């Protein structure tokens, strides 16, 4: 089996089988990391461009490692040091990359829809590494991979996403993906940070985490950005922490095997307490490792690889 | 100079005519309408130019009361010359242009510039709209009376709603003296800030910031209250939501002086068309929901919505070929408006042909106080000839200097085939003369 599209723009556009395929394919790649030589040849001779219009460390490095471990050549372009800073439009940048025969463009952009513009302009495979508040599909996939690995399944699990849903592309990708895989998704956060009509995506909205904490199998905690306070979306970080912060106290009523996740970077002491972040329930650092495996799977499959090729 | 239009179906909403007739035009005026048998031997001679309108509809020249011609200031996007040609191409013989040019039309000199340029370079009638406040800043009133004398037909701060309620009150009160309509772009800027499309499920999944419908409705309600307070003549531009229609319907029942328009994109497209991030769907107010489309159709049918205007807003490809957030609001409409009305309203039996033509002729003429929009004997010979059966796919060739249309690729049925301004044929067989 193969992926149906040349691009990975969002989990909205994948079906259950495709998501399964990516997760299954990521598993052998992850096993590779335990070996002394972590590199395999499938993308030899291919060029992967990392086009980052927004600062990012973890996602960029994760994609870079993923591409390099597949033997691809990797090019880093960041907005501040390129012609983008001279006012070049996204479409012109895209055409330049096309002329350089890039096979993959991994794009991170502050505006929703930027990857779509690339995808319809050039032939290269476009991978969305986060576009505005739209989607961050590889994060959604790595979160699902992490859950699947720990719990052995996704279907029937109860997953809460907590925090600033309004500005979260991670949340949107998680919701699309988890719903397709049969999980039950709750979103919890201040009413001002819940996007309009999000319940139509098939989630339940709660303003009080304690109402659902006992049922949860997974809690995925989103980063709360300091600047949202200035937009009057909540009164203070202290108040946010008191009402929505995840602490040991709050988790007392949770299941013993609750998984605690966070896409990073964390604000310790605000959305998550240090002791929760470092507790045995936390899989936050494993998410990082899994991110590389999942991104290898995505690159490999978009390059035309199939599920047979990676079986040992 | 004589012109006869033969054998067309003549539709004139003002004079309640809908019959097959010939129309005789002499020296730029309509001199006779009737069956061929009613014409005397001397009426049509060998030197009389003849247009055969068999199988076509002949209407009073269409009026678009809401366009942006961009001149002065943004002649790269549109000029009075190109914009009036786009109007002629679309079957319009009279258009109003909004004052949000650079500089803003907020004084007599601006009005004179538009009128002088239009008479030299334009091919259809151009009626300028002056700004309500100086520089459209929403603070001091512009010289409304002087601009009225110079030839404006309405005042509006268009894209920049007058947020100060006291200023809006004064404008309605003051303009009342001149019987001048105050055209309001209803948008509470505090509520819409940063938004690029309708707020709802689609904006949530696309990750685009929404503009709630209430941003429009609150200002519709406010302006209606002010019209009631002042007795001023209020015209609400591009109405898009169900509640706006309801509020206006109630106001009209209370005999408050309010009229309104909607634009073809609001009943032809919905927020769902924003999927894919096509920036040609980015317009302000934004495309709404299917339920709003239904409400607009009801409002058009029952007369709550008086007219249809294009809000023709040209932008260059380089301005529009950007990320959705960065592209400017606005789409062009002069060349697709009539076809969209015929395809989406008349063919679907939401409006009769007569009703549709009224919303493009006599109704805007009445709102603006223009001696236009009818085929009365002695009236200016502004006419549009329409082929209801002509089908065409909208391509990306436009007479307008811009081509930011979300309708490219759409199959439409019913197109203007001739435009006549003061007895002069400016567009024939779909081509500019």
């Amino acid at each position: 089996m193969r992926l149906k599209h040349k691009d990975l723009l969002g989990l909205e556009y994948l079906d259950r089988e495709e998501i399964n395929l990516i997760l299954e394919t990521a598993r052998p790649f992850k096993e590779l990391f335990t070996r002394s030589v972590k590199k395999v040849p499938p993308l030899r001779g291919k060029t992967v461009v990392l086009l980052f219009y927004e600062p990012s460390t973890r996602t960029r490095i994760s994609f870079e490692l993923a591409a390099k471990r597949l033997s691809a050549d990797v090019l880093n372009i960041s907005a501040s040091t390129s012609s983008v800073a001279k006012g070049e439009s996204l479409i012109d940048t895209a055409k330049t990359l096309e002329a350089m025969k890039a096979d993959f463009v991994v794009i991170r952009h502050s505006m929703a829809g930027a990857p779509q513009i690339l995808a319809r302009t050039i032939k290269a495979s476009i991978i969305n590494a986060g576009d505005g508040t739209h989607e961050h599909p590889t994060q959604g996939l790595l979160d699902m991979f992490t859950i699947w690995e720990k719990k052995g399944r996704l279907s029937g699990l109860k997953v809460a996403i907590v925090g600033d849903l309004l500005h979260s592309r991670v949340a949107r990708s998680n919701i699309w993906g988890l719903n397709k895989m049969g999980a039950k998704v709750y979103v919890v956060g201040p009413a001002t940070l819940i996007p309009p009509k999000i319940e139509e995506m098939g989630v339940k909205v709660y303003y009080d985490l304690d109402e659902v904490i006992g049922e949860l199998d997974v809690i995925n905690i989103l980063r709360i950005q300091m600047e949202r306070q200035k937009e009057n979306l909540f009164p203070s970080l202290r108040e946010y922490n008191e009402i929505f912060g995840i602490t040991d106290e709050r988790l007392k009523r949770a299941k013993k095997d609750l998984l605690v996740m966070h896409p990073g970077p964390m604000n310790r002491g605000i959305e998550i307490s240090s002791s929760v972040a470092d507790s045995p329930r936390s899989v936050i650092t494993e998410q990082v490792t899994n991110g590389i495996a999942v991104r290898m799977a995505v690159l490999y499959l978009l390059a035309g690889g199939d599920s047979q090729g990676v079986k040992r | 100079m004589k012109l006869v239009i033969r054998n067309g179906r003549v539709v004139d909403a003002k004079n309640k005519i809908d019959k097959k007739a010939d129309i005789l035009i002499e020296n730029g005026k309509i001199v006779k309408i009737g069956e061929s048998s009613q014409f005397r031997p001397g009426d049509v001679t060998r030197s009389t130019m003849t247009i055969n309108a068999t199988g076509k509809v002949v209407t009073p020249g269409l009026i678009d009361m809401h366009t942006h011609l961009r001149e002065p200031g943004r002649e790269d996007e549109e000029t009075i010359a190109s914009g009036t040609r786009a109007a002629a191409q679309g079957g319009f013989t009279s258009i109003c242009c909004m004052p949000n040019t650079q500089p803003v039309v907020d004084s007599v000199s601006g009005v004179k510039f538009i009128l002088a340029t239009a008479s030299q370079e334009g091919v259809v009638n151009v009626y300028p709209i002056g700004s309500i406040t100086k520089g459209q800043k929403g603070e001091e009133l512009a010289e409304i009376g002087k601009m009225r004398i110079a030839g404006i037909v309405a005042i509006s701060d268009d894209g920049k709603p007058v947020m100060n309620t006291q200023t809006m009150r004064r404008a309605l009160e003051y303009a009342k003296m001149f019987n001048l309509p105050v055209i309001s772009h209803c948008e509470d800027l505090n509520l819409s800030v940063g938004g690029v499309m309708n707020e709802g499920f689609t904006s949530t999944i696309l990750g685009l910031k929404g503009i709630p419908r209430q941003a429009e409705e609150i200002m519709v309600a406010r302006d209606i209250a002010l019209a009631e307070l002042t007795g001023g003549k209020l015209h609400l531009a591009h109405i898009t939501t169900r509640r706006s229609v309801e509020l206006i319907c109630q106001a009209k029942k209370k005999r408050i002086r309010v009229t309104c328009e909607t634009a073809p994109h609001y009943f032809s497209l919905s927020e769902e068309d924003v999927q894919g991030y096509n920036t040609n769907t980015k317009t302000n107010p934004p495309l709404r929901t299917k339920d709003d489309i239904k409400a607009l159709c009801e409002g058009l049918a029952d007369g709550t919505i008086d007219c249809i205007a294009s809000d023709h807003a040209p932008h260059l490809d380089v301005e529009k070929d950007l990320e959705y957030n960065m592209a400017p609001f606005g789409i062009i409409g002069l060349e697709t408006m009539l076809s969209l009305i015929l395809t989406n309203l008349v063919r679907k039996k939401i409006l009769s042909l007569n009703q549709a033509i009224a919303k493009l002729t006599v109704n805007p003429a009445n709102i603006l106080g223009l001696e236009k929009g009818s085929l009365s004997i002695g009236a200016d010979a502004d006419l549009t000839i329409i082929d209801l059966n002509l089908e065409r796919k909208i391509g990306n060739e436009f007479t307008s200097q811009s081509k930011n249309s979300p309708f490219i690729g759409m199959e439409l049925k019913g197109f203007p085939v001739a435009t006549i301004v003061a007895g002069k044929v400016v567009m024939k067989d779909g081509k500019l003369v």
Side-chain angles (χ1 to χ4, degrees):
Chain A
M1 190 193 158
R2 293 167 196 270
L3 294 179
K4 291 176 186 132
H5 305 284
K6 79 169 171 83
D7 311 302
L8 177 64
L9 301 177
L11 296 191
E12 182 186 357
Y13 320 108
L14 294 188
D15 59 29
R16 189 186 175 117
E17 286 67 39
E18 290 176 295
I19 293 172
N20 252 326
L21 173 64
I22 295 169
L23 301 184
E24 298 269 5
T25 308
R27 187 129 58 175
F29 282 129
K30 187 178 176 185
E31 280 167 23
L32 194 69
F33 302 163
T34 58
R35 301 187 200 165
S36 58
V37 176
K38 299 178 181 62
K39 202 164 183 166
V40 286
L43 259 60
R44 195 158 56 199
K46 302 274 184 194
T47 306
V48 177
V49 173
L50 306 180
L51 180 61
F52 276 61
Y53 285 82
E54 241 186 15
S56 154
T57 308
R58 117 185 15 224
T59 305
R60 192 177 54 74
I61 287 175
S62 180
F63 267 109
E64 184 163 352
L65 265 177
K68 284 181 170 165
R69 286 179 183 174
L70 290 168
S71 306
D73 297 317
V74 181
L75 230 100
N76 267 292
I77 302 176
S78 68
S80 54
T81 57
S82 65
S83 50
V84 174
K86 298 173 190 163
E88 186 175 65
S89 78
L90 180 59
I91 287 180
D92 284 336
T93 304
K95 286 178 180 164
T96 306
L97 297 176
E98 173 107 308
M100 292 173 176
K101 309 290 177 213
D103 299 291
F104 292 89
V105 180
V106 177
I107 178 175
R108 158 69 62 96
H109 201 291
S110 62
M111 290 178 201
Q116 264 86 348
I117 297 179
L118 282 194
R120 58 174 181 252
T121 310
I122 63 175
K123 286 201 274 304
S125 278
I126 309 302
I127 300 173
N128 181 1
D131 62 328
T133 57
H134 175 225
E135 281 222 43
H136 191 351
T138 57
Q139 180 74 43
L141 289 165
L142 80 88
D143 289 347
M144 284 193 285
F145 182 86
T146 306
I147 300 169
W148 178 59
E149 214 185 26
K150 293 285 168 193
K151 300 281 185 190
R153 66 188 167 112
L154 289 164
S155 182
L157 295 180
K158 292 182 177 171
V159 181
I161 304 172
V162 183
D164 179 0
L165 277 287
L166 185 64
H167 300 96
S168 179
R169 51 195 174 211
V170 174
R172 284 169 178 77
S173 287
N174 263 279
I175 294 168
W176 285 118
L178 288 165
N179 270 337
K180 287 180 195 206
M181 302 312 287
K184 200 165 177 198
V185 183
Y186 304 121
V187 301
V188 187
T192 44
L193 292 175
I194 300 290
K197 304 206 172 170
I198 196 167
E199 59 287 350
E200 287 180 28
M201 288 181 85
V203 302
K204 279 184 114 175
V205 178
Y206 289 90
Y207 304 124
D208 181 2
L209 184 60
D210 297 339
E211 268 185 70
V212 286
I213 191 81
E215 303 171 31
L216 299 178
D217 299 297
V218 180
I219 185 163
N220 198 345
I221 305 158
L222 301 173
R223 173 183 169 76
I224 193 87
Q225 284 175 307
M226 318 285 179
E227 57 264 36
R228 303 302 172 204
Q229 189 189 329
K230 292 187 200 110
E231 294 167 40
N232 245 342
L233 288 163
F234 57 90
S236 72
L237 288 171
R238 255 195 311 250
E239 178 162 318
Y240 181 86
N241 174 252
E242 177 150 347
I243 302 176
F244 295 101
I246 309 300
T247 57
D248 288 329
E249 180 62 29
R250 184 152 274 148
L251 294 188
K252 271 186 184 154
R253 295 175 46 230
K255 289 183 184 173
K256 286 273 174 299
D257 61 349
L258 172 80
L259 281 191
V260 174
M261 303 174 73
H262 192 301
M266 286 184 277
N267 296 305
R268 288 173 183 258
I270 297 174
E271 72 263 10
I272 185 168
S273 74
S274 267
S275 64
V276 171
D278 302 330
S279 72
R281 281 166 162 165
S282 162
V283 289
I284 296 169
T285 50
E286 266 192 81
Q287 285 174 269
V288 178
T289 311
N290 292 343
I292 304 165
V294 162
R295 287 170 180 127
M296 285 176 81
V298 167
L299 284 164
Y300 170 79
L301 291 167
L302 287 178
D306 62 21
S307 42
Q308 298 306 310
V310 284
K311 294 241 167 85
R312 288 145 299 144
Chain B
M1 180 56 206
K2 278 191 184 181
L3 169 67
V4 65
I5 300 166
R6 284 211 182 272
N7 210 28
R9 174 183 164 194
V10 176
V11 176
D12 174 1
K14 184 175 181 191
N15 294 307
K16 300 200 165 46
I17 299 171
D18 186 350
K19 62 175 184 190
K20 206 163 261 183
D22 292 359
I23 302 175
L24 184 65
I25 294 160
E26 198 170 348
N27 299 325
K29 304 281 180 192
I30 293 168
V31 295
K32 197 160 194 169
I33 300 182
E35 287 172 38
S36 305
S37 57
Q38 294 171 316
F39 279 61
R40 283 176 312 202
D43 285 345
V44 178
T45 63
R46 288 176 68 184
S47 65
T48 305
M49 185 185 158
T50 303
I51 294 178
N52 182 357
T54 306
K56 313 275 196 310
V57 172
V58 184
T59 70
L62 307 181
I63 301 168
D64 184 351
M65 65 178 293
H66 192 150
T67 74
H68 299 269
L69 298 181
R70 302 294 187 224
E71 187 176 355
R74 286 305 305 270
E75 292 82 356
D76 52 338
E77 291 180 329
E78 196 80 284
T79 61
I80 291 169
S82 67
T84 56
R85 278 165 182 77
Q89 187 72 52
F92 291 88
T93 58
S94 295
I95 58 177
C96 299
C97 54
M98 282 292 175
N100 62 336
T101 46
Q102 297 165 14
V104 171
V105 177
D106 61 359
S107 68
V108 169
S109 62
V111 177
K112 282 186 173 166
F113 170 81
I114 304 276
L115 289 172
T117 310
S119 76
Q120 284 163 22
E121 298 167 19
V123 298
V124 305
N125 307 304
V126 175
Y127 296 97
I129 295 168
S131 69
I132 298 173
T133 60
K134 286 178 186 150
Q136 280 181 304
K137 291 201 174 98
E139 293 159 9
E140 292 170 74
L141 290 182
E143 290 179 335
I144 296 165
K146 282 168 70 95
M147 288 196 290
R148 173 59 155 174
I149 294 162
I152 60 166
V153 294
I155 52 171
S156 180
D157 275 1
D158 193 41
K160 294 192 174 165
V162 179
M163 284 297 291
N164 185 321
T165 308
Q166 179 75 302
T167 307
M168 190 63 173
R169 176 207 170 138
R170 299 285 184 239
L172 279 158
E173 230 157 23
Y174 193 77
K176 181 174 71 167
M177 291 192 294
F178 311 106
N179 201 28
L180 205 53
V182 179
I183 302 178
S184 176
H185 165 120
C186 293
E187 178 186 357
D188 183 317
L189 295 173
N190 295 317
L191 206 47
S192 66
V193 64
V196 296
M197 69 171 294
N198 185 48
E199 177 176 311
F201 178 63
T202 309
S203 68
T204 288
I205 64 170
L206 290 177
L208 294 174
K209 187 153 194 300
I211 300 174
R213 58 188 53 253
Q214 285 77 4
E216 171 177 318
E217 292 157 354
I218 285 166
M219 294 298 263
V220 167
R222 181 200 77 166
D223 288 346
I224 287 171
L226 292 176
E228 187 177 27
L229 172 67
T230 58
K233 195 172 170 184
L234 176 67
H235 178 79
L236 303 172
H238 42 51
I239 287 306
T240 67
T241 80
R242 176 175 288 280
R243 179 155 325 132
S244 292
V245 175
E246 288 167 4
L247 288 165
I248 295 160
C249 184
Q250 286 166 18
K252 285 186 168 189
K253 279 184 189 147
K254 283 193 182 167
R255 307 213 167 273
I256 297 168
R257 286 221 289 174
V258 55
T259 55
C260 70
E261 75 198 26
T262 191
H265 37 281
Y266 298 119
F267 58 74
S268 302
L269 300 172
S270 76
E271 59 175 6
E272 288 166 36
D273 292 293
V274 180
Q275 287 181 26
Y277 302 94
N278 175 1
T279 54
N280 284 343
T281 62
K282 185 173 173 183
T283 173
N284 188 12
L287 303 175
R288 304 286 187 187
T289 65
K290 291 194 167 136
D291 178 64
D292 293 305
I293 293 179
K294 206 164 152 260
L296 291 176
C297 288
E298 288 159 16
L300 283 161
D302 69 19
T304 303
I305 301 175
D306 302 88
C307 31
I308 303 170
S310 70
D311 194 6
H312 180 78
H315 292 292
L316 299 176
D317 286 358
V318 292
E319 297 172 300
K320 274 287 195 181
D321 281 351
L322 293 174
E323 295 82 345
Y324 205 86
N325 283 314
M326 285 172 61
F329 290 103
I331 62 187
I332 58 167
L334 278 165
E335 293 164 75
T336 49
M337 169 139 99
L338 179 62
S339 302
L340 288 164
I341 293 167
L342 294 172
T343 306
N344 293 333
L345 299 178
V346 176
R347 234 159 237 293
K348 292 183 181 162
K349 304 207 184 306
I350 290 157
L351 293 183
S352 68
L353 182 63
N354 258 288
Q355 284 177 305
I357 296 305
K359 291 183 198 297
L360 294 169
T361 55
V362 59
N363 295 0
N366 286 346
I367 291 165
L368 299 163
L370 302 179
E371 296 278 320
K372 295 280 181 188
S374 82
L375 296 175
S376 305
I377 304 300
D380 293 339
D382 293 349
L383 298 98
T384 304
I385 304 178
I386 302 163
D387 184 344
L388 294 178
N389 297 311
L390 189 60
E391 279 182 80
R392 201 165 65 221
K393 192 179 195 173
I394 303 299
N396 57 3
E397 298 281 303
F398 290 95
T399 302
S400 166
Q401 282 177 195
S402 293
K403 48 184 176 185
N404 48 310
S405 169
F407 302 111
I408 293 168
M410 204 174 269
E411 299 266 1
L412 299 177
K413 190 168 181 183
F415 281 84
V417 290
T419 308
I420 297 159
V421 179
K424 186 170 172 245
V425 179
V426 294
M427 188 272 280
K428 199 176 169 219
D429 301 327
K431 292 185 182 68
L432 290 172
V433 176

